[in-house]
Amino acid sequence: MSQPVHSGYRPTLWERLAAAPHPSVSFESSFWHATAPAGPQTRRLEGEVRGKLAVIGGGYLGFSTALHLAEAGHEVTVLEADEPGFGASGRNTGFAVPNLLTGLDPRDVKATFGDERGTLLCRMLGEGGDLVFELIRRHEIDCEARQTGWMQPLHTPAKAAWLDDRIEQWKALGRPVQRLSRDEAVYETGSDQYHGAFLDPTGGHLNPLGYVRGLAHAAIRHGATVFSDSRARRLERVGDVWRIETEHGVLIADRVLLTTNATGGGLSPAAEGTQFPITLFQVATKPLDPELRKSVLPNDRCSADTRKDLIAFRWTWDNRLVTGGLLANPLGSAERGRTHHIGRLQRLLPQLPPLRVAYAWQGRLAAARDFMPRLMELGPNAWSAIACNGRGMAMTTALGRQVALWLGGGSNEGLPVPVTRPDPVLLPGLASLAFSLWLPMNRWKDAQDLKG
Ligand SMILES: Cc1cc2nc3c(=O)[nH]c(=O)nc-3n(C[C@H](O)[C@H](O)[C@H](O)COP(=O)(O)OP(=O)(O)OC[C@H]3O[C@@H](n4cnc5c(N)ncnc54)[C@H](O)[C@@H]3O)c2cc1C
């Protein structure tokens, strides 16, 4: 991940360490950056500007909130440190997943947020895939969108009962999810190593940078003001307004929403202290023979399996496979990231010819300690939202719409997550490190599953 160069940016020690050895896997080195339509022409914040509501952070969450507010006729100003989509939104695998991470089911959500709010949150998330594709159609966003379904194949028969239970929980919420048999899963993925699958036909895949740029275009068309290259360096309450300082200007706003995910750079220590960053590595292969598409993901679905260290893969429009995930040592070499992820895919799909990496990049997401979304009150009329749990595209888009309804005058009772005070993680840097150490243990567990 390339480091933003704006003066005033203060990356945490962990951010510095994790970013240092990977200069070749930046925002610009991604396949999405090479192929997405251009983002909107925006300018830098200069001088003093007055606004009503400031959204700080131009990813899915910031732009979904801004778009829905602007569509409803509200005035909103987005400040982005670099360019729209520079964070995780422009670098992810491009899966629209109406679901949570393995191990987090509707039952867990209700246990965290209570029955009523938990049900609201699951409904919102379940409808998130449809919302993403509906926004793309309505705003004519050019992002290679395919609502062909999201699959979670079983890497071991030992998890079959767990998967059945997961499917029942989502069905009980009225979701059109399906259970694929072993034969169907093998056909749908092209790998004979799978034992069945969860299918949500409302999920799908797209060019993630194209999608976030499209949201930014749409927000601007509906009246939102967007400043790029404008990292908020200081946020302070002056009288009854907020003063947001960038390198070249100041935005004075009545209300502020932070949607900075894992890269806030010290803007709000309280909000940033509630989350820890996780770095993910991505690769796209050289184009493959289009005939292979008949046997690998023949229905053009996207797939992320039930391993703890999951294997995710999908096609692009030009016959490349995209895959990626965690690295046991995020401080290791970029070359290791390339060979590790491509090697796993090759072993899963041994019928493929030798795969060659054409693009490699990495991005960072923020997770709360329970991997659930958060809406935090930072002060009078100032909030921070994080919705990422590694499956954040549908979640952030849908949460942005809910937050817009609330900030546009609705009651916070209707929100799918409560508005709380920040609940800090003890030493986020250490939590990231612990997460890296968690990986080898879970790889070992995945290997045991396969033996068992
Ligand atoms: C490699 C990778 C793969 C992933 N794959 C998937 C996937 O396939 N499907 C899925 O659903 N989710 C996936 N995710 C998660 C998903 O990308 C995130 O949940 C989502 O993009 C988060 O959106 P966001 O708007 O909250 O944050 P971001 O997109 O990170 O946006 C935050 C923005 O804030 C800006 N910013 C930060 N600080 C400041 C400041 N002080 N002033 C102004 N601007 C600031 C940043 O530049 C950035 O643009 C993946 C994540 C990664 C990293």
Side-chain angles (χ1 to χ4, degrees), residues 57 60-61 80-81 87-89 92-93 95 232 261 263 388 390-393:
Y60 300 141
L61 191 49
E80 163 54 41
S89 299
N92 61 67
T93 326
F95 291 12
N261 193 21
T263 49
C388 187
R391 292 189 174 153
M393 182 195 297

Side-chain angles (χ1 to χ4, degrees), residues 56-62 79-83 85-97 230-232 259-265 267 280-282 363-365 388-394 396:
I56 306 181
Y60 300 141
L61 191 49
L79 281 188
E80 163 54 41
D82 200 280
E83 62 169 273
F86 183 78
S89 299
R91 307 172 190 228
N92 61 67
T93 326
F95 291 12
V97 185
S230 302
R231 174 171 290 277
T259 58
T260 51
N261 193 21
T263 49
L267 183 64
L280 294 180
F281 203 92
Q282 301 281 288
R364 185 159 308 139
L365 56 86
C388 187
N389 53 38
R391 292 189 174 153
M393 182 195 297
T396 47

